[in-house]
Amino acid sequence: MSAKLVSVVVPCYNEEEVIAATLKELAGFMKQNPRYDFEVVLVDDGSKDRTLEMLRAAARKDARLKVVSFARNFGHQFAVTAGIDAAAGDAVVLIDADLQDPPEVVAEMLAKWEEGYDVVYGVRRSREGESAFKLATARAFYRVLNGLSEVPIPLDVGDFRLMARPVVEVLAAMPERHRFIRGMVAWAGFRQYALPYDRKRRVAGVSKYPLLKMIRFAKDGILSFSSRPLQVATSLGSMASFVALLGIVYALVLRIFTSTWVEGWTALMIAVLFMGGVQLLCLGIIGEYIGRIYEQGKGRPLYVVRERIGFDAGKEKPRRKVRKT
Ligand code: UDP
Ligand code: MG
């Protein structure tokens, strides 16, 4: 029986400072696990530095390395998606390019997979070298998300994980544009194992997740896994209507039974502003969902590949199909 093939998917965006170290670590890791055949699918997410060049050079020297290069920067979740789509392994491991997720932990993931688990995800027991702000916001985000989501999404879990082929197939069949992969895997179910690990600091370079990208990602997570915000809009609307009703009764009583009814400008302003605010907020929430329906309705491909290196010609997997809606 031939050895099982394990695909390691690495999204890379402007990682020229760490990629050499990462490839070296991965090579060491593969050497220590001779039981398996490996392929490393490196996805260059439209890097503007020398990352692609370095990946190309590395792939020339090592046939296990494969490179998918995007036509522009599509974002981390799309890079991971492309890697998963291109991976041929019996299991697929997702790992960041910056060595924050230590390859040693992958050996433990492989052991759990052998025990029969379909998904082994890393739970961050500690996070080294990250700002108090990032830690606090991440912590709060995972708790809010879990409170809102219709499927439980594990806390403090990133994309660092191993997935067996059946799970990978489920992911490949999910056409959604707003991808929150850790949630999608939770949604899929199967036998999942939570493996605690210590998240390291970045070996070099800076985080490619500035605050705005983090907020967008958090929004995708919440809006893709919950329609609760729409219900919040309804509750806010009903609360505001109730307060408005009290105000109307009050105004009428003043008008009919007293002679001081011209007064009340302040109350009027407050009511107008409050109602205006609530209405805009609710419109915004609805708009967020409609925008997503619109994006999905266009049915564009999730990413555009400019170059594929190291894949066997003729043996390529069929491209991801875009569902017509
Ligand atoms: N990344 C990517 N495209 C992007 C941003 C990030 O492929 O637009 C990759 C990046 O190269 C890294 C991983 O996603 O391998 C995680 O990014 P980063 O380490 O910057 O995020 P953090 O660990 O700070 O959350
Ligand atoms: Mg990182």
Side-chain angles (χ1 to χ4, degrees):
M1 209 181 86
S2 65
K4 289 180 186 163
L5 177 66
V6 176
S7 307
V8 180
V9 168
V10 192
C12 314
Y13 178 51
N14 294 346
E15 298 287 11
E16 62 180 5
E17 286 156 285
V18 294
I19 201 68
T22 308
L23 291 174
K24 207 167 147 220
E25 283 263 334
L26 283 176
F29 164 74
M30 293 190 282
K31 206 165 169 194
Q32 280 159 19
N33 293 275
R35 268 186 74 184
Y36 300 98
D37 284 336
F38 285 98
E39 65 168 4
V40 181
V41 181
L42 300 144
V43 184
D44 161 50
D45 186 7
S47 299
K48 292 174 192 69
D49 63 1
R50 294 182 48 245
T51 303
L52 177 59
E53 246 172 83
M54 295 166 82
L55 293 180
R56 214 184 262 139
R60 260 199 300 271
K61 284 193 220 123
D62 187 340
R64 293 172 301 182
L65 304 190
K66 293 167 184 178
V67 182
V68 177
S69 175
F70 280 179
R72 65 170 170 85
N73 178 239
F74 278 85
H76 174 218
Q77 298 287 298
F78 293 98
V80 171
T81 301
I84 293 173
D85 290 348
D90 300 303
V92 175
V93 175
L94 310 180
I95 191 165
D96 281 355
D98 56 7
L99 292 176
Q100 280 193 285
D101 311 318
E104 311 86 86
V105 180
V106 177
E108 293 174 50
M109 290 183 169
L110 288 169
K112 284 290 161 198
W113 173 47
E114 294 293 349
E115 275 177 33
Y117 287 97
D118 303 294
V119 175
V120 187
Y121 56 84
V123 181
R124 297 155 179 179
R125 186 163 45 196
S126 67
R127 300 178 75 167
E128 207 180 285
E130 292 201 269
S131 67
F133 177 74
K134 178 143 187 170
L135 292 183
T137 47
R139 216 186 129 74
F141 165 67
Y142 285 114
R143 276 148 190 87
V144 169
L145 175 64
N146 215 310
L148 291 176
S149 165
E150 278 124 41
V151 282
I153 297 176
L155 301 175
D156 305 317
V157 169
D159 287 326
F160 183 36
R161 59 187 60 227
L162 176 148
M163 296 178 290
R165 181 49 51 191
V167 183
V168 174
E169 294 301 327
V170 172
L171 276 192
M174 287 170 95
E176 58 209 77
R177 286 208 69 75
H178 297 273
R179 301 184 88 71
F180 187 68
I181 291 168
R182 53 202 77 167
M184 291 159 68
V185 176
W187 176 89
F190 290 91
R191 288 193 69 201
Q192 309 218 358
Y193 185 86
L195 184 74
Y197 77 105
D198 300 302
R199 190 160 160 92
K200 300 254 179 59
R201 66 176 67 238
R202 218 174 211 287
V203 168
V206 291
S207 171
K208 308 299 181 300
Y209 260 104
L211 184 63
L212 269 180
K213 259 194 195 171
M214 252 164 65
I215 292 176
R216 202 181 329 146
F217 182 57
K219 248 169 56 182
D220 275 348
I222 290 175
L223 297 179
S224 309
F225 282 89
S226 173
S227 44
R228 210 60 79 68
L230 284 172
Q231 290 150 14
V232 172
T234 318
S235 332
L236 266 181
S238 354
M239 258 152 39
S241 310
F242 179 71
V243 175
L245 192 70
L246 293 183
I248 290 169
V249 171
Y250 176 68
L252 281 179
V253 167
L254 282 189
R255 174 72 179 81
I256 297 167
F257 299 107
T258 70
S259 54
T260 57
W261 53 272
V262 269
E263 281 175 20
W265 185 85
T266 316
L268 193 68
M269 276 321 272
I270 291 174
V272 169
L273 292 177
F274 176 66
M275 286 304 292
V278 168
Q279 282 175 5
L280 283 181
L281 177 73
C282 296
L283 261 183
I285 295 176
I286 296 169
E288 288 280 355
Y289 285 94
I290 294 182
R292 275 144 214 271
I293 298 171
Y294 171 62
E295 291 274 322
Q296 192 71 43
K298 284 192 284 194
R300 288 190 186 161
L302 297 178
Y303 51 84
V304 180
V305 173
R306 191 180 51 193
E307 196 180 345
R308 291 162 65 90
I309 305 160
F311 292 91
D312 296 348
K315 268 174 62 187
E316 295 197 2
K317 297 209 309 169
R319 290 243 305 279
R320 171 179 279 275
K321 284 190 206 67
V322 179
R323 191 184 56 182
K324 298 267 184 309
T325 31

